[in-house]
Amino acid sequence: MLLKSCCIYSIGVFSVLMLILGISLVLSDVFPHFLQSVVKTEVVLKNGTETFEAWEDPPAPIYMQFYFFNVTNPLEVLEGDRPAVMEIGPYTYREYRPMEQVSFQDNGTKVAAVNTKTYIFQRDMSRGPESDLIRTVNIPAMTVMEKFKNSPIEANLISSYMKSSGEGLFSTHTVGELLWGYEDNLLKALKLLKPELDDVFGLFYKSNASNDGEYVFFTGQQSYKDFARVATWRGESSLNWWTSDECNMINGTNGASFHPIISKNEALYMFSSDLCRSLYALYEDDVTVKGIPGYRFVPPSDVFANQTVNPANAGFCVPAGNCLGSGLLNVSLCKQGAPIIMSSPHFYQADEKLVQDVFGMEPKKEQHQTAIDINPITGIILQAAKRLQINVYVEKISTFSQTANVRTVVFPVVYLNESVVIDEASAKKLQAIVTAKNVVENIPFMLIGVGVLLGGIFMFLMCRQKVPESTAAERQPLL
């Protein structure tokens, strides 16, 4: 009888201990902190690790899609009418972007590399072949006219040549020529006067099978927050195109990798050489990609807002004080003087006037927003879509009759969608990590469950032990 009582009370003691231990572990977050510390030490750019291999040669297929805006009323535009464009695309390319010339520095705390990008046309994923013709703004001509508009003698000579050769505000070229380059007659003629001038023009001329310069990244060895963060680009730790130190800062990663242990409250910084600046993204929503939980981060409208909305953007006004409307970025200084204006596709999140100025603009969040879905534990990108639009600043230039009576307008030329979705092999590995995380983090709750179960057994046994005793007492005969 004594042994039986000891067993029952032991169950009760174990029940209390399990409950105390489980509740203590829940309140102290021991297991989540343990998991985070393991991830922080494992996610480092170190030769021979899976993290380094995925960074050096991303396994997930990346696609670059181009959507052109074909001008349908060129003669009317020259008379001062609103431009009308028709979106044509996509023209899809498989993008390969391995890190090359990799070398570790400063005892493994930094790593230098060039990010070589190669684009292979995917006919089966495209609207048509690269030989499709597109009519759009004559960017070389517009660039030359802007450059010489304040030099009457040179402007008259160039204008006369343009008339004799049939060069105008608009030109028609194939998709392949517009993207990767073609010999331009006007630039070829100017090269006779300026031999250093390149007579080939393309929106992505010299961008295929090439890189944008050497990067030096932090490996994350000293701090997990520094994982893949850009230390220098082209040997510099800051830019020199903009008019404020803040706008010239190189912040964050190159957008292909992010540090582990990401919270919903932080801003993710990225440096984009395409945009010639750094930008940031904020948490928007929880998502699930291939069964893996993630956070969606998107650049807020403040990133490209006018200085009246976001005073910190005053430094992006070039020349100083020459500010465009919200949603636009003048990148002419870093694009060899070409009057290139960057925006989101269809002027998404830009001033409504820009949308109204061009017939055919229909901004939609789902199709035109830049978004990055990231697993918050590992920092691995689950899926992402970088969407940018290339525009040309068009205005009437009195010294060039080619501009006729054209109205001042930010003219859309093409928008790109660079997208990626995690590959199946990487997804399975990440699913295993997520499952292990969930199991480990639920151990305290399992202990609480065991404690409650033992407590229930203890109460049942105690009640059962008392019932027979009371029943036996009732059945004793009266003396």
Side-chain angles (χ1 to χ4, degrees):
M1 190 68 181
L2 181 61
L3 181 61
K4 183 178 179 182
S5 297
C6 286
C7 289
I8 293 173
Y9 284 112
S10 295
I11 291 173
V13 171
F14 274 115
S15 170
V16 173
L17 291 176
M18 288 291 183
L19 287 171
I20 293 174
L21 180 60
I23 293 171
S24 299
L25 290 174
V26 169
L27 295 176
S28 62
D29 276 343
V30 170
F31 286 105
H33 287 153
F34 170 73
L35 280 172
Q36 290 178 11
S37 65
V38 171
V39 171
K40 289 175 184 177
T41 55
E42 288 295 323
V43 181
V44 176
L45 293 176
K46 187 186 298 181
N47 212 348
T49 63
E50 286 189 11
T51 300
F52 176 78
E53 290 175 0
W55 172 83
E56 186 179 36
D57 191 9
I62 305 169
Y63 293 97
M64 179 75 88
Q65 295 177 306
F66 296 98
Y67 297 81
F68 288 87
F69 295 105
N70 192 63
V71 183
T72 60
N73 64 338
L75 296 178
E76 290 80 359
V77 172
L78 293 174
E79 294 300 321
D81 285 355
R82 181 173 66 146
V85 297
M86 178 181 294
E87 181 184 299
I88 299 179
Y91 295 92
T92 305
Y93 294 78
R94 173 72 187 272
E95 179 181 334
Y96 298 88
R97 49 185 306 167
M99 291 291 184
E100 297 180 337
Q101 302 174 33
V102 177
S103 63
F104 287 90
Q105 302 175 355
D106 298 344
N107 296 320
T109 59
K110 295 178 182 177
V111 58
V114 295
N115 194 195
T116 302
K117 297 180 182 180
T118 303
Y119 302 92
I120 307 297
F121 185 62
Q122 308 292 301
R123 178 63 182 87
D124 60 323
M125 299 174 68
S126 302
R127 176 191 181 277
E130 288 182 294
S131 58
D132 280 358
L133 293 172
I134 304 294
R135 180 168 53 204
T136 186
V137 176
N138 188 338
I139 299 177
M142 198 68 227
T143 302
V144 170
M145 289 189 287
E146 282 288 340
K147 186 173 183 179
F148 292 100
K149 66 181 180 181
N150 296 320
S151 305
I153 296 175
E154 293 169 312
N156 285 331
L157 290 172
I158 294 170
S159 180
S160 297
Y161 172 81
M162 290 176 68
K163 287 178 182 177
S164 65
S165 60
E167 291 278 348
L169 186 60
F170 299 101
S171 63
T172 301
H173 291 279
T174 67
V175 168
E177 289 173 338
L178 287 171
L179 290 176
W180 313 117
Y182 61 91
E183 187 178 71
D184 183 77
N185 291 330
L186 178 58
L187 295 179
K188 188 177 181 180
L190 288 174
K191 190 173 183 177
L192 296 174
L193 302 174
K194 296 186 176 183
E196 73 279 3
L197 189 68
D198 196 334
D199 59 0
V200 176
F201 169 80
L203 293 167
F204 293 87
Y205 175 51
K206 293 184 178 180
S207 295
N208 202 348
S210 64
N211 62 77
D212 57 349
E214 184 185 63
Y215 288 83
V216 175
F217 302 91
F218 289 101
T219 61
Q221 180 175 298
Q222 293 178 313
S223 170
Y224 79 96
K225 286 276 190 181
D226 284 337
F227 174 77
R229 182 168 68 84
V230 178
T232 64
W233 178 58
R234 294 180 176 176
E236 301 292 337
S237 58
S238 62
L239 309 172
N240 59 10
W241 294 308
W242 311 112
T243 58
S244 73
D245 291 339
E246 182 180 357
C247 292
N248 276 320
M249 293 175 67
I250 295 178
N251 295 323
T253 71
N254 68 342
S257 306
F258 293 94
H259 67 78
I261 318 303
I262 293 172
S263 74
K264 296 180 179 180
N265 300 320
E266 68 178 297
L268 296 182
Y269 283 87
M270 296 157 277
F271 168 68
S272 171
S273 63
D274 294 333
L275 289 172
C276 313
R277 60 164 288 185
S278 299
L279 63 155
Y280 64 92
L282 300 177
Y283 168 82
E284 183 184 71
D285 199 6
D286 283 12
V287 295
T288 301
V289 180
K290 295 187 178 182
I292 305 167
Y295 295 161
R296 172 161 293 174
F297 281 79
V298 301
S301 59
D302 278 359
V303 170
F304 295 109
N306 185 279
Q307 67 162 349
T308 56
V309 178
N310 183 4
N313 283 346
F316 293 118
C317 300
V318 289
N322 183 28
C323 300
L324 300 173
S326 285
L328 302 177
L329 179 68
N330 182 354
V331 294
S332 58
L333 287 180
C334 63
K335 302 296 181 184
Q336 292 77 50
I340 300 295
I341 308 293
M342 304 297 289
S343 71
S344 292
H346 286 252
F347 300 117
Y348 171 70
Q349 288 188 330
D351 287 344
E352 182 62 25
K353 181 182 182 300
L354 298 167
V355 177
Q356 297 302 321
D357 280 350
V358 181
F359 182 80
M361 295 292 98
E362 298 179 1
K364 298 176 182 177
K365 179 179 179 179
E366 297 76 17
Q367 298 177 21
H368 304 139
Q369 178 189 55
T370 290
I372 309 168
D373 297 342
I374 306 174
N375 177 253
I377 296 298
T378 61
I380 292 174
I381 295 176
L382 304 178
Q383 68 178 5
K386 181 176 79 173
R387 294 163 174 147
L388 297 172
Q389 182 168 296
I390 299 173
N391 312 277
V392 178
Y393 187 79
V394 174
E395 63 177 346
K396 179 180 178 179
I397 302 175
S398 59
T399 47
F400 286 94
S401 60
Q402 286 76 16
T403 58
N405 293 311
V406 68
R407 62 170 69 182
T408 299
V409 63
V410 178
F411 215 109
V413 176
V414 63
Y415 86 78
L416 61 89
N417 176 26
E418 187 178 28
S419 61
V420 64
V421 179
I422 189 170
D423 60 292
E424 292 299 331
S426 299
K428 287 180 181 179
K429 291 178 183 178
L430 194 49
Q431 285 168 354
I433 293 173
V434 171
T435 300
K437 164 189 169 292
N438 291 337
V439 170
V440 172
E441 287 186 345
N442 281 316
I443 287 177
F445 298 101
M446 294 177 187
L447 293 176
I448 293 173
V450 171
V452 171
L453 179 62
L454 291 176
I457 294 173
F458 170 74
M459 295 297 293
F460 173 76
L461 293 176
M462 286 295 293
C463 292
R464 187 177 179 186
Q465 185 181 33
K466 289 180 179 179
V467 169
E469 291 178 358
S470 59
T471 304
E474 291 172 1
R475 290 178 179 176
Q476 286 181 1
L478 295 173
L479 297 177

